[in-house]
Amino acid sequence: MVLSLFDDASKRLAQALKFVNISDDAIEHLKYPKASLSVSIPVRMDDGSLKFFPGYRVRYDDTRGPTKGGVRYHPGVNLDEVQSLAFWMTFKCAVLNLPYGGGKGGITVNPKDLSRLELERLSRGYVDAIADFIGPNVDILAPDVYTNQMIMGWMMDQYSIIKRQISPAVVTGKPVTMGGSLGRETATAMGAFFIIEQMMGKLDRHPQETTVAVQGFGNAGGTIAELLAKVGYKVVAVSDSQGGIYAKQGLDIPSIRQYKNSSRGIQAIYCQGTVCNIVEHELITNADLLTLDVDILIPAALENQITAANANQIQARYIFEVANGPITSAADAILEQKGILVFPDILINAGGVTVSYFEWVQNRSGLYWTLEEVNQRLKAKMTAEANHIWSIAQEMGTSLRNAAYIHALNRLGEAIDAKGTRDYYTSSH
Ligand code: NAD
């Protein structure tokens, strides 16, 4: 039986619940999304026709604060995916102890088919459609797959027009000139980088002897490949939606990034170049990349990349999940049996939401931080929570994923109970 993405995501919750002592109320609470909104967004196309695009926003849980989460533009976006991503955001924000709940949004569209003006009308139309569902104290947007700073700027501007007041804190990942934070664009990869460095130190591995393969060469994947290569890791394979490249001696990551950026097309704002056009390498498929004999594998594209069908062929020793949900629960069990150490998404890619939180704090205080301040605070938060999760895994003899969920569940359970009435009814006084 094929499980929906959300059913599979919920399995991680069920598994972690065996290890924590939280109330039945809290458990019930976390099984269901608080609110889901489906909209149809009308867009006047450049040829004069009118087209409607399906859009979604899910606020999964707001016990610990306003919901927070990205907006994805992709042809595969649907409510099940958005709800799963909002569920993961809930746990991610709790793992990092951010004063947020989890949310997510998306539009079912291939943005590469739109002109830049069509894309702007679509983005503003999305905000028109969900304006009553979001807000700086309610639900805060951010970038995700195929959305970026420019789109976040349009969204913030549209919201401000609707509310007739400048509202920078409703969207994070904005251009710096519109109140964006320094370091937000690189934050997801930077957060992952800090933990990879910390963990490789713990495991006594040196960058020069460590090979890396990265699936997905976008904001998160391209940046992590560059950060790792810069300190000496041998990045031997990278890929994007059109395929991958492999070079045993290591790839020249800065020139691949430069190539992808310089081949930016005039249509919309998406890079038209592909990593496959770079010379001196072997062409490989995305499926080949996942099963390469490397030390570190970094999925940084989409969900469900490592499943029961290919988990047995994975040869990497460590997997750092920069993407959300790249490994299914069935694959988790196989990887664990093979002794592969998986560092879970709700910790590894949490640098993005952490600097989004910093951006929100800066917007609300009106006081802006230097890049050094942002990165110092990010490093302190990421490495402290990673250490905590590592200790839970060691003490309880469980996987790092389970340990991350346990860590989050303890915080979520406490917050839900603090708001609830259960004690009043069950107390003997
Ligand atoms: P992006 O749009 O910048 O990049 C996505 C990359 O994946 C592109 O290079 C694209 O070509 C590639 N890709 C698409 N389909 C693919 C496929 N089938 N196989 C291989 N590559 C494919 O997106 P991003 O922001 O880097 O997000 C990547 C992942 O990281 C997503 O899972 C996202 O949810 C997660 N994430 C992003 C952020 C953030 O701040 N941007 C934060 C946390 C998690």
Side-chain angles (χ1 to χ4, degrees), residues 24-95:
D24 292 345
D25 281 12
I27 296 170
E28 271 312 287
H29 201 102
L30 289 168
K31 284 186 189 163
Y32 310 101
K34 182 181 169 93
S36 307
L37 179 66
S38 297
V39 296
S40 303
I41 309 153
V43 177
R44 180 68 60 196
M45 306 303 281
D46 290 347
D47 66 4
S49 65
L50 186 68
K51 246 186 159 170
F52 281 81
F53 294 88
Y56 308 93
R57 187 77 197 166
V58 173
R59 302 183 59 228
Y60 196 85
D61 180 75
D62 66 353
T63 313
R64 290 174 42 88
T67 47
K68 179 88 189 78
V71 182
R72 177 173 293 193
Y73 288 2
H74 193 274
V77 164
N78 57 51
L79 189 56
D80 175 47
E81 181 185 55
V82 175
Q83 180 171 311
S84 307
L85 287 159
F87 169 89
W88 287 320
M89 284 304 295
T90 304
F91 287 86
K92 195 181 301 179
C93 293
V95 161

